[in-house]
Amino acid sequence: MAAHDMARFALKTRSSMEHLFILITMGDLLGVPILPPYYSLRLLPYVVPQVATWKRRMLREKDLTDAIY
Amino acid sequence: MNSALALILSLAAGLFTYYVYARYVDQRIIQADPRKATPARLYMDGVDFMPTSRHVLFGYQFKSIAALGPVTGPIIAMQWGWLPAFLWVIFGTMLIGWVQDYTSVMIGVRNEGQTFGALSYRLISPRGRITLLAFIFFYLILIVAAFGKIVGDMMAAVPSVPVAIVALVIVGLGAGYLIYRKHADILYTTLGMVVLALLAIWLGTSLPVKASPVAWVLFALAFSYAGAVLPIWLYGQPINYISFYLVFLGMIGAGIGVLVGHPSFTIPAFTQWTIPLGSIWPLLFVTVACGAISGWHSLVSSSGSARQLEKEIDARYVGAGSMISEMVLAVLSIIIAAATFASFAGYKEALGKGPAFIFATGMSGLLSFLGISPEFGKAFAGAMYVILAITVMQLVLRVARLSTTELLGDYVPVMRNMYVTAALVAIICWALIATGTWQYIWTLFGGSNQLMAALALMLVSIWLKQSGRNWHFTFWPMLFMFITTVVALLMTGIKLFKAPALLLAGKIKPPAGQTVAVAVGGNYISGVIAFLLVLAALVLVVDGLRVFFTSRPAAAGAQAGQTASTAD
């Protein structure tokens, strides 16, 4: 239980990198076209498992009180 | 009263609350359903929303809520005698404390893991959210100021502590480096680092470091500043991680010490209705802060635990269970204050050196029943106390930095720079500590803390009413906490505004080490904060009550308080 914080932090770090990666590659899904679609499509199969969660996290309203813990 | 009996009574009260009242609310009113998908399972993203074992979550919640409040408040409240504080800790927790923690978890769970900012926006009004954020900002500053002052006094009063704290920082940094950078085995690293920290405490007993309280306050603020701006994996987290074990060892040791030594209470059960701090109502209820009820818990519950709860039926264990454990911690500190000194006069004299000194002395007494030398016991207790404060201070300063950016970043571009915002918040806290009168700062902190609790209970009451559930068990405690706290804050505020005239006339003396001019300024600053807190709370409560009385239960089948998901 004491290490729970650390585990969460490690996961947060990984997820923020993942977000960035998917945003760059699959930005089209949210209307942010960055890569030409050709490359996006080539990468799509690898990203499919994360897309649903990623979209939800990106589109969820954030509030300052989220940051407290 | 025998201290072992007090401890056993509190345990019995806790178990009764958990198995009878909490179970009733959980099953009959909230109707926790193990089959309902919690936000953690619904929105599992491996980060914020992550189903977590209830035992891990219990430890996490307890570690997050147990700080200086339950330890310091009861020690100060002993001036009324031990009985009022004891009764309030027990009944406050039984009737209000756990209710707030548990319902704060459940309101988050039933509202897609939304936190208080979003909930107040949706349930009350957009103005409600902004007011709440401003309120939280002042509240956070008061936490840092109240805790910082205590740390300063403690490190000056017990010179064996500083070496241990500096060593703890080094040990924490080492642990972070080994675990994150070198991928060392977490078990061996933890063991090694905890042993090193204990060795450092022992070393501190033969290496006393003397400095003024002011210097130690600056040290504590510098420590917290580093925690607020450095990457969290490097500094804040590993230090908190190692600290957890020290605090845990201390609590277990104190509990066993009470049962082995079972000293009797030496101070009277009741002294008088009015002490220099003020009258028993409302002041006792804000002086004993987190041991009975605390707004901080609601923030932790709704932002952290609600998003990680695996099943709804775990909420009672996590929310109510950890609050009841904290009640036991508060009872331990009542025992420490009431059974350590030979008489009430001895307690009063020790209080002059600060509540932290009382804690260190009493704790070393309890540990000595286990054969631990008083010198080491005192250094250990001192270190534990400072750890409890300083780990929360750095976290709070971090959040205060974020909220400053959020509130002012759009209008003042420089406020987006984290070094500037963290420094600004630290300076405001320093100004409060340097000029304020300690006991009033503590009262303001306690007041803001209990007001936060009342606001949390009000949000929950609105949600309960809108979803057609019984709201009485949160509404009436909310009203009691709100009226009590507002009266306490107004009384304190008026006192603070009256003090400058008396100071200038020479009728009262400024606190030790302060000039009259500084004390006058400090009184005005604290007084303004008191009134601002009351104002913010009034705006929120008036808006909230208007919504509360006009809201009707939603039609059956349509769960009020459920918003359309933003997913896909």
Side-chain angles (χ1 to χ4, degrees):
Chain A
M1 54 182 77
H4 183 58
D5 254 351
M6 295 193 184
R8 278 185 86 202
F9 176 72
L11 287 163
K12 266 195 170 119
T13 311
R14 194 186 73 177
S15 101
S16 60
M17 299 304 287
E18 219 163 60
H19 281 179
L20 214 53
F21 174 73
I22 302 181
L23 184 69
I24 292 166
T25 52
M26 300 288 139
D28 273 320
L29 294 173
L30 296 180
V32 189
I34 296 175
L35 268 191
Y38 170 77
Y39 298 104
S40 298
L41 283 174
R42 295 274 313 254
L43 286 166
L44 187 61
Y46 302 97
V47 179
V48 162
Q50 280 98 26
V51 164
T53 339
W54 168 75
K55 270 176 87 170
R56 203 165 31 228
R57 279 184 70 78
M58 280 291 176
L59 297 172
R60 194 165 57 83
E61 272 192 43
K62 304 267 191 309
D63 188 83
L64 179 67
T65 38
D66 290 8
I68 287 180
Y69 244 79
Chain B
M1 174 85 142
N2 188 295
S3 55
L5 183 65
L7 188 62
I8 290 164
L9 272 177
S10 70
L11 286 169
L15 288 171
F16 175 81
T17 308
Y18 184 77
Y19 285 107
V20 180
Y21 185 27
R23 175 178 281 178
Y24 171 79
V25 168
D26 190 47
Q27 292 180 349
R28 295 296 172 83
I29 299 178
I30 302 290
Q31 293 166 325
D33 182 354
R35 289 161 308 180
K36 256 194 185 135
T38 56
R41 286 198 289 180
L42 210 57
Y43 303 130
M44 183 174 161
D45 59 11
V47 188
D48 291 334
F49 296 89
M50 188 170 62
T52 304
S53 145
R54 66 192 201 137
H55 303 294
V56 170
L57 215 48
F58 172 89
Y60 171 74
Q61 170 96 353
F62 183 72
K63 182 173 81 84
S64 312
I65 65 175
L68 275 198
V71 177
T72 308
I75 290 178
I76 301 171
M78 287 297 111
Q79 296 172 76
W80 282 286
W82 62 261
L83 189 62
F86 184 70
L87 289 177
W88 170 235
V89 163
I90 300 279
F91 286 104
T93 304
M94 281 175 83
L95 299 172
I96 312 178
W98 79 265
V99 171
Q100 186 228 213
D101 290 26
Y102 163 82
T103 50
S104 299
V105 174
M106 282 314 289
I107 194 175
V109 166
R110 292 275 171 91
N111 287 279
E112 307 185 322
Q114 284 185 336
T115 50
F116 278 2
L119 284 169
S120 53
Y121 183 93
R122 200 165 50 77
L123 292 175
I124 299 175
S125 63
R127 183 174 75 170
R129 176 179 169 267
I130 293 292
T131 318
L132 184 79
L133 292 185
F135 178 89
I136 289 176
F137 176 74
F138 283 114
Y139 167 47
L140 296 176
I141 281 181
L142 282 169
I143 293 180
V144 178
F147 285 16
K149 175 82 173 109
I150 287 191
V151 169
D153 288 350
M154 165 60 121
M155 288 169 90
V158 187
S160 52
V161 171
V163 168
I165 299 301
V166 173
L168 180 77
V169 174
I170 296 166
V171 163
L173 290 173
Y177 176 75
L178 285 173
I179 292 167
Y180 281 115
R181 281 280 177 263
K182 291 286 168 194
H183 306 294
D185 185 285
I186 195 161
L187 186 67
Y188 292 126
T189 309
T190 306
L191 268 174
M193 291 301 168
V194 171
V195 169
L196 273 178
L198 288 171
L199 276 174
I201 293 172
W202 174 75
L203 191 71
T205 55
S206 48
L207 275 179
V209 181
K210 282 196 161 64
S212 65
V214 176
W216 291 126
V217 168
L218 282 173
F219 167 82
L221 283 173
F223 175 98
S224 310
Y225 181 82
V229 295
L230 285 174
I232 207 159
W233 68 266
L234 173 77
Y235 186 88
Q237 213 170 54
I239 292 174
N240 280 3
Y241 174 67
I242 300 296
S243 303
F244 170 82
Y245 290 100
L246 294 179
V247 172
F248 189 68
L249 282 172
M251 275 180 64
I252 298 289
I256 297 172
V258 169
L259 295 174
V260 172
H262 53 82
S264 290
F265 288 2
T266 51
I267 71 170
F270 180 73
T271 54
Q272 56 204 35
W273 292 109
T274 306
I275 58 167
L277 195 62
S279 58
I280 199 160
W281 186 88
L283 266 302
L284 169 79
F285 300 90
V286 296
T287 305
V288 180
C290 314
I293 173 168
S294 158
W296 174 249
H297 303 186
S298 66
L299 293 175
V300 172
S301 301
S302 64
S303 305
S305 303
R307 298 172 161 203
Q308 298 174 64
L309 209 68
E310 202 170 3
K311 296 189 194 77
E312 283 193 354
I313 48 171
D314 293 347
R316 182 165 64 108
Y317 179 67
V318 173
S322 58
M323 178 63 216
I324 289 165
S325 310
E326 180 151 353
M327 172 186 87
V328 176
L329 181 62
V331 169
L332 273 177
S333 57
I334 288 177
I335 291 169
I336 280 172
T340 298
F341 303 97
S343 64
F344 187 63
Y347 156 80
K348 289 283 280 188
E349 192 187 332
L351 192 65
K353 292 184 182 173
F357 179 75
I358 293 183
F359 179 79
T361 314
M363 183 91 171
S364 68
L366 290 179
L367 292 175
S368 66
F369 290 122
L370 307 177
I372 293 166
S373 79
E375 291 81 24
F376 180 81
K378 203 165 183 172
F380 181 85
M384 176 178 156
Y385 196 90
V386 171
I387 285 168
L388 277 172
I390 226 164
T391 48
V392 169
M393 276 172 74
Q394 59 168 347
L395 173 82
V396 167
L397 201 62
R398 205 181 182 88
V399 178
R401 162 175 85 72
L402 286 167
S403 38
T404 313
T405 306
E406 174 84 8
L407 288 168
L408 300 174
D410 290 346
Y411 313 105
V412 188
V414 75
M415 287 299 162
R416 288 180 215 151
N417 180 322
M418 70 173 180
Y419 298 101
V420 174
T421 42
L424 179 78
V425 175
I427 288 166
I428 295 173
C429 296
W430 167 246
L432 255 182
I433 297 171
T435 61
T437 309
W438 148 249
Q439 61 176 10
Y440 292 145
I441 292 183
W442 183 264
T443 309
L444 288 181
F445 153 70
S448 58
N449 193 29
Q450 311 303 63
L451 265 184
M452 182 68 229
L455 299 176
L457 284 170
M458 195 187 64
L459 270 177
V460 171
S461 303
I462 294 172
W463 166 66
L464 287 171
K465 192 174 179 196
Q466 287 187 349
S467 54
R469 296 174 197 282
N470 181 341
W471 43 263
H472 293 277
F473 78 108
T474 58
F475 183 80
W476 302 112
M478 180 278 286
L479 220 51
F480 170 75
M481 283 322 300
F482 180 73
I483 294 168
T484 303
T485 314
V486 164
V487 172
L489 279 175
L490 284 175
M491 280 167 73
T492 308
I494 291 165
K495 255 188 202 163
L496 285 161
F497 274 111
K498 276 185 178 168
L502 297 172
L503 277 164
L504 293 169
K507 288 183 180 166
I508 49 174
K509 286 195 174 71
Q514 277 183 14
T515 60
V516 171
V518 167
V520 166
N523 277 307
Y524 278 128
I525 295 172
S526 310
V528 167
I529 289 185
F531 284 110
L532 282 175
L533 283 169
V534 171
L535 187 71
L538 279 172
V539 169
L540 259 170
V541 166
V542 167
D543 282 9
L545 286 177
R546 192 180 302 140
V547 173
F548 180 83
F549 287 116
T550 52
S551 59
R552 295 277 168 272
Q559 253 289 337
Q562 300 282 19
T563 50
S565 160
T566 50
D568 302 324

